[in-house]
Amino acid sequence: MTDDTISRRELAEQSRLLAEQTDRHAVALESILAILRSPRLDDRAARAMATDIAAATLVELRTANDEQTSTLFEPVVGAFARLRSDLRPLVRFGDLDVQFVEPPATGRALPGDVAFAARAIVRSAVLALVDEGESRRVRIQWDCDGLNLLIGIRDDGTGQLSVHDDSLRPIAERVSSLGGDLDVSATAGWGSTMAVRLPLDPPAMPEPLADNDAFSQREREVLRLVASGARNRAIADQLTISPNTVKFHVSNILRKAGVSTRAELAILATANARRP
């Protein structure tokens, strides 16, 4: 195994852990807000429960790196149970009725990155529905066909959801990074259905960027800032160009690099910079 391969895996793991912590923060904050807003609790009880949630989440976040790094495979039922645990406070005290359909107990164990991505996808979808405020019920189902983890998420909202919606962009990027598929179907007035397929044997990461000559000087500048984690507005301000121009450059860079997301691009750019 080469040093480049190890470096790429380390970078991917760091990115995964950061995304996991971000999702856990979001779910914890939404859960605390749901508790504080709940008409079923008086002020004293709400404060006590919110404090308990915050304290428990803090402990989980402090130990998250050790737990996730050591988890190479998870039984599908165990991964689903962790998802239910993550969402339990939000489900209990929020306005969204979440129904869980258990996966088969005989399903193949999930690689750690697939289990993480599956939970992140569902959490992102639920948080998007909470923010939208139009849905009252959502049904979450996992299944496994031996080669893929199949995720189904159905809501009873306005039925206007599209695969191109900004709220689904983080989900689409996660699915794409694992070589999976995302399909969204909607019927006006009846709700939307999100179908996700995640291969249990994800594709190997692409090789680092090998030829910077493929990029123009401006594209190299944009690439450097993307790799640092800067968003389009910050890049535009620093380079004194418009956000639309930044989007144009990022699109060209993604195409030339042969990747589909900014996260993959940042990992490859950083790995390339570390090469001797």
Side-chain angles (χ1 to χ4, degrees), residues 194-256:
M194 193 184 314
V196 177
R197 180 188 64 84
L198 297 179
L200 298 185
D201 299 305
M205 290 182 60
E207 292 299 315
L209 298 177
D211 186 7
N212 282 342
D213 291 339
F215 303 110
S216 68
Q217 180 59 38
R218 180 62 85 186
E219 287 171 345
R220 292 191 193 100
E221 295 171 349
V222 172
L223 176 59
R224 175 177 57 81
L225 293 171
V226 168
S228 73
R231 308 307 298 173
N232 286 353
R233 172 61 66 180
I235 296 174
D237 291 343
Q238 184 160 340
L239 299 181
T240 320
I241 57 179
S242 72
N244 284 336
T245 301
V246 175
K247 290 180 182 179
F248 173 77
H249 287 312
V250 171
S251 177
N252 283 339
I253 294 169
L254 290 170
R255 175 177 54 80
K256 292 179 181 180

Side-chain angles (χ1 to χ4, degrees), residues 1-197:
M1 185 179 296
T2 66
D3 290 341
D4 283 345
T5 300
I6 295 173
S7 295
R8 292 199 303 276
R9 289 185 176 179
E10 289 176 348
L11 289 167
E13 181 67 10
Q14 290 172 6
S15 177
R16 183 176 75 85
L17 291 173
L18 178 60
E20 171 78 2
Q21 290 181 356
T22 299
D23 280 339
R24 287 183 177 276
H25 276 304
V27 171
L29 290 173
E30 286 287 358
S31 299
I32 290 171
L33 287 174
I35 289 171
L36 295 176
R37 292 169 177 165
S38 175
R40 293 174 293 205
L41 298 171
D42 59 33
D43 289 347
R44 186 173 183 178
R47 285 196 301 272
M49 296 197 69
T51 300
D52 288 344
I53 291 293
T57 302
L58 184 58
V59 171
E60 289 179 3
L61 288 171
R62 285 174 174 170
T63 59
N65 286 2
D66 292 338
E67 292 176 355
Q68 292 162 359
T69 302
S70 63
T71 303
L72 299 178
F73 290 91
E74 291 187 57
V76 62
V77 291
F80 195 76
R82 286 186 61 184
L83 171 67
R84 294 188 66 161
S85 178
D86 288 345
L87 294 176
R88 185 176 294 118
L90 184 59
V91 171
R92 183 177 179 186
F93 298 103
D95 295 328
L96 193 64
D97 177 16
V98 182
Q99 301 173 349
F100 296 93
V101 179
E102 297 283 347
T106 56
R108 175 182 165 187
L110 306 179
D113 55 348
V114 175
F116 157 74
R119 289 191 295 269
I121 285 167
V122 176
R123 288 195 302 260
S124 295
V126 171
L127 290 173
L129 293 174
V130 170
D131 289 341
E132 184 185 55
E134 299 292 339
S135 302
R136 291 292 174 265
R137 182 177 295 106
V138 62
R139 184 173 184 264
I140 300 169
Q141 181 173 4
W142 283 14
D143 201 352
C144 184
D145 65 4
L147 297 177
N148 304 280
L149 176 64
L150 307 175
I151 302 172
I153 304 171
R154 177 174 176 78
D155 75 337
D156 64 348
T158 58
Q160 303 298 320
L161 194 64
S162 164
V163 72
H164 302 295
D165 285 3
D166 287 341
S167 62
L168 296 187
R169 184 174 302 167
I171 293 175
E173 289 185 354
R174 281 193 170 102
V175 172
S176 176
S177 69
L178 290 174
D181 300 316
L182 169 64
D183 181 66
V184 177
S185 59
T187 303
W190 289 90
S192 306
T193 300
M194 193 184 314
V196 177
R197 180 188 64 84

